[in-house]
Amino acid sequence: MTSKFGMENGDNNDFTAPSNKRALIGSPPNHWLWSSSPLYFDLTRPPAPEYPLPSPGTTIHLSTTTTPVMLDPNKTALIIIDMQNFFLSTCLGRPADGTGNRAARCLLDDAIPAARRAGIRIVWLNWGLNDAELSQMPPSTRRAFGFEATLRREAKEKALPAIDPRGVNQQAAEHYAANGGGTSRPEDLTQNGKPERIYNGLGSEIGSVTLEDGSVVDGGRLLMRDTWNAGLTPELEAAFQEGVRRREKPDVWIHKNRMSGLWGATGVCQEHLEKEGIKTLLFAGVNTDQCVGGSLQDAFTKGWDCILLSDGCGTTSPGFAKECMEFNCARTWGFVSSCGDLKNATAEMLRNRSG
């Protein structure tokens, strides 16, 4: 028998049956292998020229909506994006049974325990701005998080929510226009061209928040570092604290300052993944079609293997937005799987290892 690429194998097990053909995708050392029988993509990047077959005891055989994939836990990271109080907390009116909180439950029950058992690094990639980053924030990103409808000196009503029920700020824009917002007088603009209006978006004060136990906390400035609103929900925070105490592959928290956590030529997240030798990313979080989707597409463009855990993601967008994201991820950017599939695949790997 030989396991070299392109050769038939003579054993009778699933991986080396005579009918099995393998094909190389990419150029070593950054490559996949495709297998015909059983059908799967091997993302473990086995070394050339032997291209050894994946070991069932050290490799995760993950089902997807298209073709199964083989993962090396040591080269894989679970990226959990924006599961923060601002987006999920019922104390801010987010529904307990909303898609974001349902995704959090799938992560807590299935994906996070599975990643820990498998030895997969967990990266919490969250909004966390400082004032320097806020000062350089482009208007396109500011628009995505709402703006106030009246000039500061003319404000007579309570500020609109920074995010409407769909997770976007179109309501604020429409209200701004309907109420004669803006100015035609140059003297109403500051020297840098910014209208003298209340900005109810990134960096603005949320105010006091009453928690479920009746206590009151300062919500802090919107999505700024070290504020309550930018923190994780209590159960997710407990999971993170458990993870950072791990002796091997402790959890990592990385601040991001755009919807994508992998935008630009490089950044903290990219540098960490490259330093750790991570090749495959499992994506989860909110919103599927916004911050998760933006990060996933940038990761794909930069060469990472991308797998979307669909039930570990949530969005306030209409259903077609989620469907579009999953369609393209499954057929172009990578693969679509689930937290439950990751749990089952990890259990299978560990059974093979012990058996």
Side-chain angles (χ1 to χ4, degrees):
M1 181 193 77
T2 178
S3 60
K4 283 190 176 182
F5 156 72
M7 299 295 290
E8 294 186 3
N9 296 297
D11 286 1
N12 293 323
N13 61 53
D14 285 343
F15 293 102
T16 58
S19 60
N20 184 33
K21 302 286 186 178
R22 303 170 80 200
L24 182 67
I25 303 174
S27 300
N30 189 21
H31 60 283
W32 295 355
L33 287 173
W34 172 84
S35 170
S36 65
S37 180
L39 180 64
Y40 64 88
F41 286 103
D42 181 354
L43 313 188
T44 66
R45 293 166 174 78
E50 292 81 9
Y51 302 105
L53 293 165
S55 168
T58 59
T59 305
I60 296 174
H61 186 180
L62 183 66
S63 297
T64 78
T65 59
T66 50
T67 305
V69 293
M70 294 288 190
L71 310 179
D72 180 348
N74 293 316
K75 298 177 183 177
T76 302
L78 171 59
I79 312 294
I80 303 176
I81 298 175
D82 292 353
M83 301 297 273
Q84 297 163 280
N85 282 316
F86 178 71
F87 299 105
L88 299 182
S89 178
T90 57
C91 301
L92 292 178
R94 313 311 186 205
D97 61 347
T99 60
N101 281 304
R102 293 202 302 270
R105 178 47 53 195
C106 290
L107 288 170
L108 289 164
D109 290 347
D110 296 332
I112 292 174
R116 301 229 196 280
R117 295 180 68 202
I120 292 174
R121 175 83 73 175
I122 299 179
V123 176
W124 303 78
L125 184 58
N126 298 313
W127 276 103
L129 302 170
N130 58 38
D131 283 315
E133 292 168 335
L134 185 62
S135 69
Q136 299 298 316
M137 193 65 62
S140 56
T141 304
R142 287 179 177 269
R143 172 184 177 271
F145 285 87
F147 57 89
E148 178 53 35
T150 55
L151 296 178
R152 186 181 303 275
R153 68 172 180 271
E154 298 171 355
K156 298 179 181 178
E157 56 186 309
K158 185 178 179 181
L160 292 172
I163 301 291
D164 71 15
R166 287 295 190 193
V168 294
N169 82 315
Q170 189 58 34
Q171 178 184 3
E174 293 169 354
H175 185 87
Y176 191 73
N179 286 272
T183 179
S184 59
R185 302 192 310 166
E187 59 267 30
D188 287 332
L189 301 176
T190 61
Q191 290 183 351
N192 66 1
K194 179 181 178 182
E196 282 290 337
R197 56 170 173 74
I198 300 170
Y199 175 70
N200 190 40
L202 295 171
S204 62
E205 291 286 351
I206 286 183
S208 299
V209 179
T210 302
L211 303 182
E212 293 180 355
D213 63 2
S215 61
V216 178
V217 298
D218 178 7
R221 297 166 63 195
L222 182 57
L223 297 181
M224 301 295 285
R225 295 185 188 184
D226 304 319
T227 59
W228 175 87
N229 79 89
L232 300 172
T233 60
E235 287 185 287
L236 291 168
E237 174 65 19
F240 169 70
Q241 291 299 331
E242 176 189 348
V244 296
R245 292 192 296 267
R246 291 174 61 87
R247 298 184 64 179
E248 295 185 5
K249 296 186 179 178
D251 288 15
V252 176
W253 181 299
I254 296 177
H255 297 293
K256 67 184 181 71
N257 57 19
R258 293 292 191 277
M259 284 193 168
S260 169
L262 287 162
W263 73 285
T266 189
V268 176
C269 186
Q270 178 172 338
E271 291 170 359
H272 172 76
L273 296 174
E274 290 175 344
K275 178 176 70 71
E276 294 292 316
I278 301 298
K279 302 298 184 182
T280 302
L281 305 180
L282 305 168
F283 282 93
V286 294
N287 281 300
T288 311
D289 52 321
Q290 296 172 20
C291 293
V292 177
S295 300
L296 187 150
Q297 289 175 71
D298 280 342
F300 164 75
T301 299
K302 292 183 176 187
W304 277 283
D305 316 332
C306 298
I307 302 172
L308 184 72
L309 300 180
S310 60
D311 59 345
C313 299
T315 183
T316 54
S317 299
F320 60 76
K322 177 177 182 289
E323 292 173 6
C324 180
M325 184 70 201
E326 292 183 359
F327 177 90
N328 283 289
C329 186
R331 291 162 177 79
T332 302
W333 304 320
F335 306 89
V336 175
S337 188
S338 71
C339 297
D341 286 331
L342 179 61
K343 175 183 177 181
N344 294 336
T346 297
E348 180 184 8
M349 177 187 71
L350 296 176
R351 284 194 299 272
N352 291 328
R353 183 180 301 175
S354 61

mmCIF file of all heavy atoms in Angstrom, residues 269-288:
data_model
loop_
_atom_site.group_PDB
_atom_site.id
_atom_site.type_symbol
_atom_site.label_atom_id
_atom_site.label_comp_id
_atom_site.label_asym_id
_atom_site.label_seq_id
_atom_site.Cartn_x
_atom_site.Cartn_y
_atom_site.Cartn_z
ATOM 1 N N CYS A 269 -5.964 40.301 15.647
ATOM 2 C CA CYS A 269 -6.505 38.955 15.440
ATOM 3 C C CYS A 269 -5.689 38.190 14.403
ATOM 4 O O CYS A 269 -5.323 37.030 14.617
ATOM 5 C CB CYS A 269 -7.969 39.031 15.024
ATOM 6 S SG CYS A 269 -8.781 37.416 14.922
ATOM 7 N N GLN A 270 -5.410 38.813 13.285
ATOM 8 C CA GLN A 270 -4.633 38.147 12.241
ATOM 9 C C GLN A 270 -3.260 37.743 12.758
ATOM 10 O O GLN A 270 -2.795 36.619 12.511
ATOM 11 C CB GLN A 270 -4.489 39.073 11.031
ATOM 12 C CG GLN A 270 -3.647 38.481 9.905
ATOM 13 C CD GLN A 270 -3.684 39.319 8.642
ATOM 14 O OE1 GLN A 270 -4.606 40.100 8.437
ATOM 15 N NE2 GLN A 270 -2.684 39.164 7.797
ATOM 16 N N GLU A 271 -2.612 38.641 13.493
ATOM 17 C CA GLU A 271 -1.281 38.329 14.006
ATOM 18 C C GLU A 271 -1.324 37.162 14.983
ATOM 19 O O GLU A 271 -0.435 36.297 14.975
ATOM 20 C CB GLU A 271 -0.693 39.573 14.677
ATOM 21 C CG GLU A 271 -0.353 40.683 13.687
ATOM 22 C CD GLU A 271 0.002 41.982 14.370
ATOM 23 O OE1 GLU A 271 -0.038 42.029 15.629
ATOM 24 O OE2 GLU A 271 0.322 42.959 13.657
ATOM 25 N N HIS A 272 -2.361 37.105 15.813
ATOM 26 C CA HIS A 272 -2.471 35.994 16.765
ATOM 27 C C HIS A 272 -2.673 34.670 16.036
ATOM 28 O O HIS A 272 -2.007 33.674 16.353
ATOM 29 C CB HIS A 272 -3.639 36.241 17.711
ATOM 30 C CG HIS A 272 -3.939 35.068 18.600
ATOM 31 N ND1 HIS A 272 -3.163 34.740 19.692
ATOM 32 C CD2 HIS A 272 -4.906 34.119 18.531
ATOM 33 C CE1 HIS A 272 -3.645 33.655 20.261
ATOM 34 N NE2 HIS A 272 -4.701 33.254 19.586
ATOM 35 N N LEU A 273 -3.582 34.646 15.066
ATOM 36 C CA LEU A 273 -3.854 33.398 14.350
ATOM 37 C C LEU A 273 -2.620 32.911 13.593
ATOM 38 O O LEU A 273 -2.332 31.716 13.564
ATOM 39 C CB LEU A 273 -5.023 33.607 13.392
ATOM 40 C CG LEU A 273 -6.372 33.946 14.037
ATOM 41 C CD1 LEU A 273 -7.406 34.266 12.974
ATOM 42 C CD2 LEU A 273 -6.860 32.803 14.918
ATOM 43 N N GLU A 274 -1.908 33.834 12.984
ATOM 44 C CA GLU A 274 -0.698 33.447 12.255
ATOM 45 C C GLU A 274 0.373 32.930 13.212
ATOM 46 O O GLU A 274 1.051 31.933 12.918
ATOM 47 C CB GLU A 274 -0.185 34.642 11.453
ATOM 48 C CG GLU A 274 -1.085 35.009 10.275
ATOM 49 C CD GLU A 274 -0.649 36.259 9.548
ATOM 50 O OE1 GLU A 274 0.162 37.034 10.114
ATOM 51 O OE2 GLU A 274 -1.116 36.481 8.416
ATOM 52 N N LYS A 275 0.526 33.581 14.353
ATOM 53 C CA LYS A 275 1.537 33.141 15.323
ATOM 54 C C LYS A 275 1.227 31.742 15.843
ATOM 55 O O LYS A 275 2.140 30.933 16.058
ATOM 56 C CB LYS A 275 1.584 34.130 16.489
ATOM 57 C CG LYS A 275 2.573 33.758 17.593
ATOM 58 C CD LYS A 275 2.638 34.827 18.661
ATOM 59 C CE LYS A 275 1.366 34.872 19.481
ATOM 60 N NZ LYS A 275 1.233 33.698 20.373
ATOM 61 N N GLU A 276 -0.048 31.427 16.019
ATOM 62 C CA GLU A 276 -0.463 30.129 16.537
ATOM 63 C C GLU A 276 -0.508 29.049 15.460
ATOM 64 O O GLU A 276 -0.761 27.882 15.767
ATOM 65 C CB GLU A 276 -1.840 30.251 17.188
ATOM 66 C CG GLU A 276 -1.870 31.121 18.429
ATOM 67 C CD GLU A 276 -1.119 30.504 19.587
ATOM 68 O OE1 GLU A 276 -1.299 29.279 19.816
ATOM 69 O OE2 GLU A 276 -0.359 31.215 20.257
ATOM 70 N N GLY A 277 -0.278 29.394 14.214
ATOM 71 C CA GLY A 277 -0.317 28.418 13.132
ATOM 72 C C GLY A 277 -1.722 27.943 12.806
ATOM 73 O O GLY A 277 -1.917 26.829 12.299
ATOM 74 N N ILE A 278 -2.723 28.791 13.062
ATOM 75 C CA ILE A 278 -4.117 28.425 12.809
ATOM 76 C C ILE A 278 -4.411 28.540 11.313
ATOM 77 O O ILE A 278 -4.106 29.548 10.679
ATOM 78 C CB ILE A 278 -5.076 29.333 13.606
ATOM 79 C CG1 ILE A 278 -4.799 29.213 15.109
ATOM 80 C CG2 ILE A 278 -6.518 29.007 13.283
ATOM 81 C CD1 ILE A 278 -5.023 27.841 15.672
ATOM 82 N N LYS A 279 -5.046 27.508 10.760
ATOM 83 C CA LYS A 279 -5.400 27.488 9.341
ATOM 84 C C LYS A 279 -6.910 27.433 9.108
ATOM 85 O O LYS A 279 -7.387 27.834 8.051
ATOM 86 C CB LYS A 279 -4.749 26.283 8.657
ATOM 87 C CG LYS A 279 -3.233 26.236 8.758
ATOM 88 C CD LYS A 279 -2.584 27.429 8.076
ATOM 89 C CE LYS A 279 -1.069 27.326 8.106
ATOM 90 N NZ LYS A 279 -0.428 28.521 7.476
ATOM 91 N N THR A 280 -7.652 26.908 10.081
ATOM 92 C CA THR A 280 -9.092 26.687 9.908
ATOM 93 C C THR A 280 -9.846 27.447 10.991
ATOM 94 O O THR A 280 -9.506 27.348 12.177
ATOM 95 C CB THR A 280 -9.424 25.192 10.002
ATOM 96 O OG1 THR A 280 -8.685 24.486 8.999
ATOM 97 C CG2 THR A 280 -10.908 24.956 9.778
ATOM 98 N N LEU A 281 -10.881 28.193 10.586
ATOM 99 C CA LEU A 281 -11.656 29.004 11.514
ATOM 100 C C LEU A 281 -13.114 28.566 11.521
ATOM 101 O O LEU A 281 -13.751 28.457 10.466
ATOM 102 C CB LEU A 281 -11.570 30.481 11.121
ATOM 103 C CG LEU A 281 -10.158 31.072 10.987
ATOM 104 C CD1 LEU A 281 -10.238 32.541 10.590
ATOM 105 C CD2 LEU A 281 -9.370 30.907 12.273
ATOM 106 N N LEU A 282 -13.628 28.310 12.724
ATOM 107 C CA LEU A 282 -15.044 28.028 12.933
ATOM 108 C C LEU A 282 -15.695 29.310 13.419
ATOM 109 O O LEU A 282 -15.328 29.841 14.479
ATOM 110 C CB LEU A 282 -15.217 26.925 13.970
ATOM 111 C CG LEU A 282 -14.486 25.605 13.720
ATOM 112 C CD1 LEU A 282 -14.536 24.736 14.973
ATOM 113 C CD2 LEU A 282 -15.096 24.869 12.531
ATOM 114 N N PHE A 283 -16.652 29.840 12.668
ATOM 115 C CA PHE A 283 -17.231 31.143 12.991
ATOM 116 C C PHE A 283 -18.585 30.999 13.666
ATOM 117 O O PHE A 283 -19.437 30.212 13.247
ATOM 118 C CB PHE A 283 -17.401 31.975 11.721
ATOM 119 C CG PHE A 283 -16.121 32.592 11.228
ATOM 120 C CD1 PHE A 283 -15.346 31.951 10.286
ATOM 121 C CD2 PHE A 283 -15.694 33.816 11.730
ATOM 122 C CE1 PHE A 283 -14.163 32.517 9.832
ATOM 123 C CE2 PHE A 283 -14.511 34.387 11.287
ATOM 124 C CZ PHE A 283 -13.745 33.738 10.331
ATOM 125 N N ALA A 284 -18.787 31.826 14.712
ATOM 126 C CA ALA A 284 -20.064 31.894 15.416
ATOM 127 C C ALA A 284 -20.236 33.311 15.937
ATOM 128 O O ALA A 284 -19.280 34.096 15.982
ATOM 129 C CB ALA A 284 -20.090 30.890 16.573
ATOM 130 N N GLY A 285 -21.482 33.661 16.345
ATOM 131 C CA GLY A 285 -21.717 34.969 16.935
ATOM 132 C C GLY A 285 -22.839 35.726 16.265
ATOM 133 O O GLY A 285 -23.694 35.156 15.589
ATOM 134 N N VAL A 286 -22.840 37.040 16.439
ATOM 135 C CA VAL A 286 -23.846 37.924 15.844
ATOM 136 C C VAL A 286 -23.129 39.122 15.203
ATOM 137 O O VAL A 286 -22.044 39.491 15.627
ATOM 138 C CB VAL A 286 -24.845 38.428 16.917
ATOM 139 C CG1 VAL A 286 -25.672 37.297 17.476
ATOM 140 C CG2 VAL A 286 -24.150 39.183 18.048
ATOM 141 N N ASN A 287 -23.759 39.675 14.183
ATOM 142 C CA ASN A 287 -24.881 39.138 13.414
ATOM 143 C C ASN A 287 -24.334 38.335 12.250
ATOM 144 O O ASN A 287 -23.305 38.675 11.684
ATOM 145 C CB ASN A 287 -25.757 40.272 12.884
ATOM 146 C CG ASN A 287 -26.707 40.844 13.921
ATOM 147 O OD1 ASN A 287 -27.526 40.138 14.450
ATOM 148 N ND2 ASN A 287 -26.592 42.143 14.184
ATOM 149 N N THR A 288 -25.064 37.269 11.888
ATOM 150 C CA THR A 288 -24.599 36.342 10.853
ATOM 151 C C THR A 288 -24.133 37.064 9.606
ATOM 152 O O THR A 288 -23.065 36.762 9.048
ATOM 153 C CB THR A 288 -25.727 35.375 10.469
ATOM 154 O OG1 THR A 288 -26.299 34.817 11.644
ATOM 155 C CG2 THR A 288 -25.213 34.273 9.565
#
